[in-house]
Amino acid sequence: MEAFEAESFTVAIVYIKPIELKAITVMLDEVWWGPVSSARGDSNDYIMGRIGEHNVVLVGPPRGVQGTVASAQLVSTIRLTFPNIIVGFLVGIGGGIPRYPEHDVRLGDVVVGAPEKGPAVVQYDLGERTESGFETRWVLARPPRLLLQVVNKVETKSKCFEDGEYNLLTPHLARFARYPRIKKEFEKPCTRDRLFKSTYAHEQGTKCSAHDGLHEVERYAREPCDDIVVHYSTILSGGSVMKSPTDRDMLSTKHNNALCIEMEAAGLMDIFPCLVVRGISDYADSHKNETWQGFAAATAAAYAREILVNMSKQVTNYGSPIKSDRGSQIKYEYGWIPNYFGSRDHNAHHFALPSSMAPSLNQLQTKIQTECALYNPKDHPAIAEEEEEDQSSFQVPVENIEPQWDAPGWLDQKLAVQGFCPDIPRHSANTLRNMMTQDENIKLGFIQLEIQTRSKPFDQGVRRTVSYARTSVSTDRFVVKAFKKDYRDLAFIAEEMKGQALCKAFALEFNALLDLKYSLDFVVTAALELRSRAGACISIEPFIGGNYVKYNNNCAWVNEDLPDDPCNQAAQAFSHFTFERSWGHFLVSDLQGVGNLLTGPAIQTKDPERFKLCDANINAEGFKFFFATHKCNALCRKLQLKSTGQMLIEGRFEFREEWPGVRSRVYCSNKLCRRILREDAGGSDSARKASEFPGYYWCSSCFPQLESSMQRRTCAEAYSAEHQFDFSSFFYESQGQAAPLKCPEHVEENTADSNIGSVGGGLWARMRQQMRESLSLGGDRKKYV
């Protein structure tokens, strides 16, 4: 294979076992074994090749590793190296669930996770244990639409063979004859395919061939052309090997008459939606053995090849790079994650705006500001829905008094909550890049808190009320926002929270390039659910006292009353910086706050699927309105920002060529603070460290609370009251954890983490399901009114 561009690969095939890799490799028309220059953050190794017109990458876990966790880790970084992957496959072996005679699944058959009705994959061991039994409620993402269309084509093609013609997969299986060292491994076994009754367990110390035929299910012989049958069914996925036919059949009946069970698909579907193709190597019972694994891997690989040779070559939204006439500069079509993600080219990047916007841009020319002046925000669907909600909203009583933070009993309501907050690690060279690449890279951390709030709100907006609050330990002040109506769920708040985390990452790099007086920061929000009432969602964020100022919005308004104010100058330059730094994929606007501490930003995205649940995201329209009124100031020029409104009129942008690395910037380790700090500088924004908590950084407000909250407690496993230990209650609260009951010597390894993980995992799964349901309705906010 000739030298390749990583951007030219559009298909990823995931395998788990080495025998599956060998089978898939045989299906390649062309293969390239050489080492791949993986992007930073991608620890996978790849085999590259071609099937038909499609450039394909093969990837699998380390030898001997399997399961949902391994598969999830595997696919989470593929697009860092191969950003243009548009479809994926999980190809390999699985256990068949025979439903004879209705569904005659046999060894060597293929089961594809593409039923006409019902989910493609079900994680059968994730759910809720209720009084009525275990209930699986979370449905994983479906395969890509394109692959499901090709599945229809291939299924129809398989039914249209004339009498005497070979099976659909026969020509592909014939490829194994070219490889004498492995062809026998993938031949159909001479051992007879025997299906035993569910009530008959394998007799230890014997071979299945020696079992009494009285226990065997009698099945008719197939015609040669139907020797291998492809079934389209739900696939069950779980974390353990299934060898119980009773449990196997029960799960199949419960979940859409599923015909296959395996261990990896559940780890992929939400992160990397793909078509799951499984060759049946056993019947998931006690008679399970490896005799049919080679042939089953071969039939699964053959079906995947059949799909690809019948799939039209896609003109992706990404496109391969095209050398322009401007030296080493590269031109890209609008609508993709740019070559910057995983790229080794640091030159200027260009893109053209989508054709759907071209007519209005051609008409703009010198009238762009006039058009924006005449723009009616109510015309945009997202803002129109807000207006409709505004008209139908109701007012609640609020109290207009000064907060009495230290008055006993004034915060008169105690709440036990759990939820998520941005899990921001130490900022590295790849942090912002990874967050821009996909939402899954914006990490969330689980927290549990006890908070005290004022039962009466002091303010309200269209949808939410705002009340004063404090946590049980910290001296910091907070506000809690609660929805007037239960029309929003945790997924909506979490998406807003992820947006704030991305803004904070932008701000960290922005601050590193400018003087201290122009530094900006964003408050962080935690999305919480009442532990006493599942589904009751609130959010908590720091209380900001002072003069509240609006700097710009997402509909072309700019604050021109404060031209010399450093915060106003920084805010306008920051919006421009986010567009330039993301290569035209994001623009942060609607900036407001007290001084340089901002809250409630809006993220405009080029990809309409990113931050889809955020009301204020008006996508590429937001870019147009920003450049209609934006005037580059001294900070824009210092940052060497090149994009302008004139470029918008011309339909193409040019961006700054290189961005310097960010050093000596960290976040406060308090999960409810996360203030941006300088690691190597003095002053109020410098990071503090405590020797008792190595690896943690603290702002000037949080650091003193570590010592002031020190307590002494008798160890829960102590033999006498003299066995005591000291701890900082603020530290544990800042990490969203309960204070310890045992001294470090008696803490059971990983006990606290496992408890938090199990609770957080269920809440996370519920939130992801809510988000999928919301997105399946097109992000329809009216559903929640």
Side-chain angles (χ1 to χ4, degrees):
M1 185 173 181
E2 297 178 356
F4 67 93
E5 291 285 351
E7 292 78 9
S8 67
F9 288 81
T10 57
V11 178
I13 299 179
V14 178
Y15 64 89
I16 302 299
K17 297 177 177 290
I19 196 171
E20 298 166 349
L21 171 60
K22 286 184 280 187
I24 299 166
T25 304
V26 170
M27 295 298 137
L28 298 176
D29 295 318
E30 195 174 0
V31 63
W32 189 71
W33 302 97
V36 180
S37 298
S38 300
R40 288 185 179 179
D42 183 7
S43 59
N44 292 325
D45 190 62
Y46 299 92
I47 295 174
M48 292 162 292
R50 177 182 59 82
I51 296 179
E53 296 183 317
H54 307 284
N55 286 346
V56 178
V57 295
L58 312 183
V59 62
R63 195 180 189 90
V65 177
Q66 60 182 1
T68 56
V69 174
S71 60
Q73 293 174 341
L74 181 71
V75 301
S76 61
T77 57
I78 290 178
R79 288 194 176 98
L80 294 178
T81 301
F82 300 97
N84 297 348
I85 298 296
I86 58 173
V87 295
F89 294 81
L90 174 61
V91 179
I93 60 176
I97 306 178
R99 312 288 294 182
Y100 191 81
E102 293 85 1
H103 302 287
D104 183 18
V105 178
R106 303 194 185 187
L107 301 183
D109 283 359
V110 177
V111 176
V112 182
E116 288 191 26
K117 296 181 180 179
V121 176
V122 172
Q123 186 170 0
Y124 64 84
D125 56 0
L126 175 64
E128 296 180 351
R129 196 167 296 281
T130 66
E131 293 180 356
S132 58
F134 187 80
E135 298 181 8
T136 303
R137 295 184 176 179
W138 294 285
V139 180
L140 300 170
R142 289 184 62 78
R145 178 174 176 270
L146 171 63
L147 288 179
L148 293 178
Q149 289 178 316
V150 184
V151 163
N152 286 338
K153 181 195 295 187
V154 169
E155 182 185 22
T156 302
K157 178 181 176 181
S158 69
K159 304 298 183 184
C160 295
F161 282 115
E162 298 179 0
D163 290 343
E165 288 193 90
Y166 288 111
N167 184 282
L168 180 71
L169 304 183
T170 301
H172 306 310
L173 294 173
R175 299 173 65 89
F176 287 95
R178 307 175 187 175
Y179 304 93
R181 290 187 177 90
I182 64 172
K183 67 177 183 179
K184 288 187 177 181
E185 185 178 3
F186 294 95
E187 289 177 349
K188 186 173 182 179
C190 298
T191 304
R192 190 165 64 90
D193 175 7
R194 303 184 72 188
L195 170 63
F196 294 98
K197 297 176 182 178
S198 299
T199 54
Y200 178 61
H202 181 75
E203 299 174 16
Q204 296 298 323
T206 66
K207 294 183 179 181
C208 293
S209 58
H211 291 348
D212 195 326
L214 293 175
H215 302 293
E216 187 175 348
V217 177
E218 293 185 7
R219 298 177 292 180
Y220 67 85
R222 286 177 172 176
E223 296 293 331
C225 60
D226 292 325
D227 187 39
I228 305 169
V229 176
V230 179
H231 309 268
Y232 300 93
S233 158
T234 295
I235 291 178
L236 300 177
S237 186
S240 59
V241 177
M242 176 62 68
K243 289 188 175 182
S244 168
T246 303
D247 291 346
R248 174 201 69 190
D249 295 342
M250 179 271 294
L251 288 169
S252 174
T253 301
K254 184 177 180 180
H255 298 294
N256 201 37
N257 290 323
L259 300 181
C260 178
I261 188 167
E262 52 90 82
M263 295 176 58
E264 286 81 28
L268 270 68
M269 297 305 292
D270 277 349
I271 303 174
F272 187 72
C274 57
L275 186 67
V276 182
V277 181
R278 291 302 195 188
I280 302 304
S281 61
D282 57 70
Y283 292 120
D285 57 14
S286 59
H287 308 279
K288 184 184 184 77
N289 61 72
E290 299 180 356
T291 305
W292 285 77
Q293 285 189 358
F295 185 66
T299 58
Y303 180 83
R305 175 178 169 82
E306 179 67 20
I307 289 289
L308 286 173
V309 296
N310 283 277
M311 187 174 80
S312 302
K313 185 174 182 180
Q314 297 297 299
V315 179
T316 71
N317 287 336
Y318 308 105
S320 298
I322 306 168
K323 293 292 182 180
S324 73
D325 57 359
R326 300 186 63 182
S328 59
Q329 293 178 341
I330 302 177
K331 178 181 177 182
Y332 293 92
E333 292 302 314
Y334 188 99
W336 75 298
I337 299 174
N339 193 46
Y340 160 73
F341 301 117
S343 171
R344 290 171 288 279
D345 187 296
H346 299 288
N347 295 296
H349 292 66
H350 304 265
F351 65 84
L353 287 168
S355 57
S356 60
M357 290 185 65
S360 60
L361 289 176
N362 291 336
Q363 295 169 5
L364 273 176
Q365 300 297 334
T366 58
K367 300 189 299 180
I368 185 170
Q369 292 192 7
T370 303
E371 177 180 338
C372 291
L374 297 175
Y375 175 75
N376 183 358
K378 298 178 183 180
D379 292 338
H380 191 278
I383 299 177
E385 288 186 12
E386 288 187 28
E387 181 70 12
E388 183 175 324
E389 292 173 1
D390 198 350
Q391 294 174 355
S392 62
S393 67
F394 60 92
Q395 300 294 303
V396 300
V398 299
E399 57 181 8
N400 186 19
I401 61 174
E402 288 294 319
Q404 302 173 40
W405 295 104
D406 300 320
W410 190 74
L411 298 175
D412 56 352
Q413 183 174 243
K414 293 184 178 181
L415 300 176
V417 294
Q418 61 183 8
F420 300 97
C421 63
D423 191 8
I424 306 174
R426 181 186 178 95
H427 196 96
S428 68
N430 294 324
T431 301
L432 179 58
R433 180 190 70 177
N434 293 340
M435 294 172 78
M436 290 190 292
T437 303
Q438 56 182 1
D439 291 344
E440 295 297 332
N441 291 331
I442 305 176
K443 304 299 183 181
L444 302 181
F446 180 71
I447 57 173
Q448 291 180 317
L449 295 171
E450 303 285 338
I451 61 176
Q452 298 174 327
T453 71
R454 179 71 173 165
S455 57
K456 296 180 180 179
F458 69 89
D459 200 3
Q460 63 183 310
V462 175
R463 308 176 193 84
R464 291 188 280 191
T465 60
V466 188
S467 304
Y468 297 111
R470 261 187 173 160
T471 60
S472 59
V473 176
S474 174
T475 59
D476 295 333
R477 300 169 179 179
F478 297 89
V479 294
V480 163
K481 296 181 179 179
F483 289 103
K484 298 178 182 179
K485 303 177 183 179
D486 288 332
Y487 80 106
R488 291 242 168 151
D489 52 34
L490 201 61
F492 281 84
I493 308 177
E495 182 137 309
E496 295 177 353
M497 179 176 57
K498 283 190 171 188
Q500 293 174 348
L502 178 59
C503 292
K504 206 168 185 70
F506 275 123
L508 186 146
E509 294 203 6
F510 178 83
N511 295 348
L513 300 172
L514 296 171
D515 297 331
L516 177 61
K517 70 175 183 178
Y518 297 111
S519 294
L520 298 176
D521 205 347
F522 290 83
V523 299
V524 293
T525 296
L528 304 173
E529 183 180 71
L530 300 185
R531 295 168 66 180
S532 61
R533 184 160 64 95
C537 301
I538 62 175
S539 63
I540 187 171
E541 63 186 59
F543 170 77
I544 308 176
N547 185 28
Y548 192 90
V549 178
K550 183 90 168 180
Y551 297 114
N552 60 30
N553 70 5
N554 58 348
C555 291
W557 180 84
V558 176
N559 187 333
E560 297 179 346
D561 297 329
L562 303 170
D564 300 322
D565 180 74
C567 293
N568 189 32
Q569 293 175 355
Q572 310 310 332
F574 177 79
S575 292
H576 192 181
F577 167 82
T578 59
F579 182 78
E580 186 107 354
R581 182 66 179 83
S582 67
W583 270 262
H585 284 75
F586 299 93
L587 192 150
V588 179
S589 59
D590 206 17
L591 301 180
Q592 60 244 307
V594 177
N596 68 343
L597 187 56
L598 308 181
T599 183
I603 299 182
Q604 317 304 319
T605 64
K606 185 171 63 175
D607 181 355
E609 296 303 314
R610 297 293 300 273
F611 297 103
K612 189 175 182 179
L613 299 182
C614 295
D615 295 333
N617 181 10
I618 57 176
N619 306 122
E621 288 289 300
F623 302 165
K624 182 164 63 175
F625 297 138
F626 172 78
F627 282 102
T629 54
H630 175 71
K631 297 177 181 178
C632 284
N633 57 31
L635 299 184
C636 297
R637 291 186 285 273
K638 184 174 182 178
L639 293 170
Q640 302 175 36
L641 307 183
K642 295 185 176 182
S643 49
T644 65
Q646 182 61 36
M647 293 179 183
L648 180 76
I649 295 172
E650 296 172 355
R652 65 193 303 271
F653 281 104
E654 181 178 346
F655 300 117
R656 175 173 169 169
E657 296 179 359
E658 294 182 337
W659 292 99
V662 175
R663 298 179 180 177
S664 304
R665 292 297 190 279
V666 294
Y667 299 96
C668 179
S669 296
N670 182 355
K671 292 185 176 182
L672 297 180
C673 175
R674 296 302 194 193
R675 182 178 173 185
I676 299 174
L677 304 172
R678 294 174 180 243
E679 186 178 3
D680 58 354
S684 61
D685 69 334
S686 63
R688 275 75 169 172
K689 298 180 182 179
S691 58
E692 297 86 348
F693 307 103
Y696 291 82
Y697 300 88
W698 308 96
C699 68
S700 57
S701 174
C702 295
F703 182 75
Q705 298 183 63
L706 292 170
E707 183 174 354
S708 64
S709 65
M710 292 296 295
Q711 298 183 33
R712 175 162 294 181
R713 173 175 289 175
T714 300
C715 177
E717 292 194 3
Y719 295 102
S720 69
E722 297 178 358
H723 191 112
Q724 297 181 327
F725 66 101
D726 297 328
F727 67 95
S728 169
S729 56
F730 173 78
F731 171 79
Y732 286 93
E733 182 184 82
S734 73
Q735 303 307 300
Q737 300 178 15
L741 299 177
K742 304 175 185 179
C743 70
E745 297 176 6
H746 288 106
V747 172
E748 296 178 5
E749 186 176 3
N750 298 327
T751 297
D753 289 342
S754 62
N755 289 341
I756 289 177
S758 61
V759 177
L763 185 61
W764 173 259
R766 188 158 68 250
M767 184 188 75
R768 292 300 304 271
Q769 175 66 9
Q770 293 170 353
M771 184 170 290
R772 281 193 294 271
E773 292 173 353
S774 304
L775 292 176
S776 68
L777 296 170
D780 187 3
R781 286 167 290 275
K782 293 182 180 179
K783 169 182 180 290
Y784 297 89
V785 175

